[in-house]
Amino acid sequence: MESRLGEVITEYMNAEIVLGTVNDPSSALQGLKSTFLYVRARREPFKYGFPRLQVTGSDASVDSWIEKTYVTSTLEKLIRSGMVERSDDGTMQAAQPGVIMSESYIKLHTMMELFK
Protein backbone atom coordinates (compact mmCIF):
# COMPACT_ATOMS: atom_id res chain seq x y z
CA MET A 1 0.00 0.00 0.00
CA GLU A 2 1.39 3.41 -0.97
CA SER A 3 0.45 7.01 -0.31
CA ARG A 4 -1.10 9.13 -3.05
CA LEU A 5 -0.78 12.41 -1.11
CA GLY A 6 2.28 13.42 -3.13
CA GLU A 7 0.05 13.73 -6.20
CA VAL A 8 -2.04 16.44 -4.51
CA ILE A 9 0.52 17.89 -2.10
CA THR A 10 -0.03 21.43 -3.41
CA GLU A 11 -3.76 21.31 -2.75
CA TYR A 12 -3.18 19.67 0.64
CA MET A 13 -0.69 22.35 1.76
CA ASN A 14 -2.94 25.11 0.52
CA ALA A 15 -5.88 23.69 2.48
CA GLU A 16 -3.77 23.44 5.64
CA ILE A 17 -2.72 27.09 5.24
CA VAL A 18 -6.35 28.13 4.71
CA LEU A 19 -7.33 26.24 7.87
CA GLY A 20 -4.52 27.94 9.79
CA THR A 21 -2.82 24.71 10.83
CA VAL A 22 0.20 25.63 8.69
CA ASN A 23 1.64 29.14 8.86
CA ASP A 24 5.35 28.64 8.18
CA PRO A 25 7.68 26.01 6.72
CA SER A 26 8.32 24.48 10.13
CA SER A 27 4.63 23.83 10.82
CA ALA A 28 4.25 22.51 7.26
CA LEU A 29 7.02 19.98 7.89
CA GLN A 30 5.54 19.00 11.26
CA GLY A 31 2.16 18.44 9.63
CA LEU A 32 3.70 16.36 6.86
CA LYS A 33 5.46 14.18 9.43
CA SER A 34 2.05 13.03 10.66
CA THR A 35 1.03 11.65 7.25
CA PHE A 36 1.27 8.24 5.65
CA LEU A 37 3.23 9.87 2.82
CA TYR A 38 6.03 10.76 5.23
CA VAL A 39 6.10 7.27 6.72
CA ARG A 40 6.24 5.57 3.31
CA ALA A 41 8.76 8.03 1.82
CA ARG A 42 11.08 7.40 4.77
CA ARG A 43 10.72 3.65 4.50
CA GLU A 44 10.85 3.35 0.67
CA PRO A 45 12.43 6.61 -0.52
CA PHE A 46 13.25 5.35 -4.02
CA LYS A 47 9.55 4.63 -4.69
CA TYR A 48 8.81 8.30 -3.97
CA GLY A 49 11.48 9.79 -6.19
CA PHE A 50 14.52 9.94 -3.94
CA PRO A 51 17.50 10.16 -6.31
CA ARG A 52 19.04 6.75 -6.89
CA LEU A 53 22.38 8.49 -7.35
CA GLN A 54 22.42 9.14 -3.62
CA VAL A 55 23.49 5.68 -2.62
CA THR A 56 23.35 6.31 1.12
CA GLY A 57 19.62 6.72 1.79
CA SER A 58 20.49 7.83 5.31
CA ASP A 59 17.69 9.16 7.49
CA ALA A 60 19.17 12.67 7.39
CA SER A 61 19.49 12.74 3.60
CA VAL A 62 15.98 11.33 3.13
CA ASP A 63 14.52 13.84 5.60
CA SER A 64 16.29 16.69 3.83
CA TRP A 65 14.98 15.47 0.47
CA ILE A 66 11.41 15.13 1.82
CA GLU A 67 11.54 18.67 3.21
CA LYS A 68 12.84 20.11 -0.06
CA THR A 69 10.54 18.08 -2.32
CA TYR A 70 7.27 18.17 -0.40
CA VAL A 71 7.51 21.30 1.75
CA THR A 72 9.85 23.95 0.40
CA SER A 73 9.05 23.55 -3.29
CA THR A 74 5.31 23.26 -2.63
CA LEU A 75 5.17 26.38 -0.48
CA GLU A 76 7.20 28.34 -3.03
CA LYS A 77 4.82 27.19 -5.80
CA LEU A 78 1.81 28.38 -3.78
CA ILE A 79 3.45 31.74 -3.10
CA ARG A 80 4.51 32.25 -6.75
CA SER A 81 1.01 31.39 -7.95
CA GLY A 82 -0.63 33.92 -5.63
CA MET A 83 -2.53 31.39 -3.51
CA VAL A 84 -0.47 32.13 -0.41
CA GLU A 85 1.18 35.30 0.87
CA ARG A 86 4.40 35.36 2.90
CA SER A 87 5.09 38.22 5.28
CA ASP A 88 8.52 39.67 6.03
CA ASP A 89 8.88 37.48 9.12
CA GLY A 90 8.39 34.31 7.03
CA THR A 91 4.88 33.49 8.17
CA MET A 92 2.29 32.63 5.56
CA GLN A 93 -1.40 33.15 5.17
CA ALA A 94 -3.89 32.24 2.49
CA ALA A 95 -4.64 34.82 -0.16
CA GLN A 96 -8.23 35.08 -1.37
CA PRO A 97 -7.57 32.90 -4.45
CA GLY A 98 -6.10 30.22 -2.18
CA VAL A 99 -9.22 30.30 -0.02
CA ILE A 100 -11.42 29.90 -3.09
CA MET A 101 -9.21 27.07 -4.34
CA SER A 102 -9.50 25.22 -1.04
CA GLU A 103 -13.19 25.79 -0.41
CA SER A 104 -14.11 24.78 -3.96
CA TYR A 105 -11.74 21.79 -4.15
CA ILE A 106 -10.03 23.20 -7.23
CA LYS A 107 -6.58 21.98 -8.29
CA LEU A 108 -3.79 24.54 -8.61
CA HIS A 109 -3.42 24.19 -12.38
CA THR A 110 -7.16 24.84 -12.80
CA MET A 111 -6.94 27.96 -10.61
CA MET A 112 -4.04 29.20 -12.72
CA GLU A 113 -6.09 28.69 -15.89
CA LEU A 114 -9.00 30.60 -14.34
CA PHE A 115 -6.66 33.52 -13.62
CA LYS A 116 -5.62 33.70 -17.27
Side-chain angles (χ1 to χ4, degrees):
M1 187 169 11
E2 301 298 336
S3 173
R4 304 294 299 250
L5 180 59
E7 297 170 16
V8 291
I9 193 72
T10 307
E11 291 76 17
Y12 165 76
M13 283 289 180
N14 183 65
E16 292 297 324
I17 293 167
V18 169
L19 290 171
T21 55
V22 167
N23 60 11
D24 60 21
S26 176
S27 61
L29 181 58
Q30 280 308 113
L32 186 66
K33 285 183 175 182
S34 69
T35 67
F36 187 56
L37 170 63
Y38 180 78
V39 171
R40 291 301 299 148
R42 294 254 355 252
R43 181 157 300 162
E44 298 285 343
F46 298 118
K47 285 185 178 181
Y48 289 83
F50 184 77
R52 290 204 179 267
L53 298 175
Q54 289 184 288
V55 178
T56 66
S58 71
D59 286 349
S61 65
V62 171
D63 279 349
S64 176
W65 174 81
I66 289 171
E67 182 173 4
K68 179 182 167 210
T69 302
Y70 292 113
V71 177
T72 306
S73 65
T74 300
L75 295 177
E76 288 301 321
K77 186 188 303 182
L78 287 168
I79 291 165
R80 278 193 317 273
S81 66
M83 302 301 128
V84 171
E85 298 169 343
R86 179 176 33 208
S87 61
D88 292 338
D89 66 359
T91 59
M92 299 173 299
Q93 63 181 11
Q96 188 59 36
V99 173
I100 294 167
M101 178 180 149
S102 178
E103 290 177 348
S104 302
Y105 301 97
I106 299 173
K107 289 188 157 267
L108 179 63
H109 70 272
T110 302
M111 280 300 288
M112 298 305 296
E113 287 298 316
L114 291 172
F115 275 123
K116 288 182 184 178

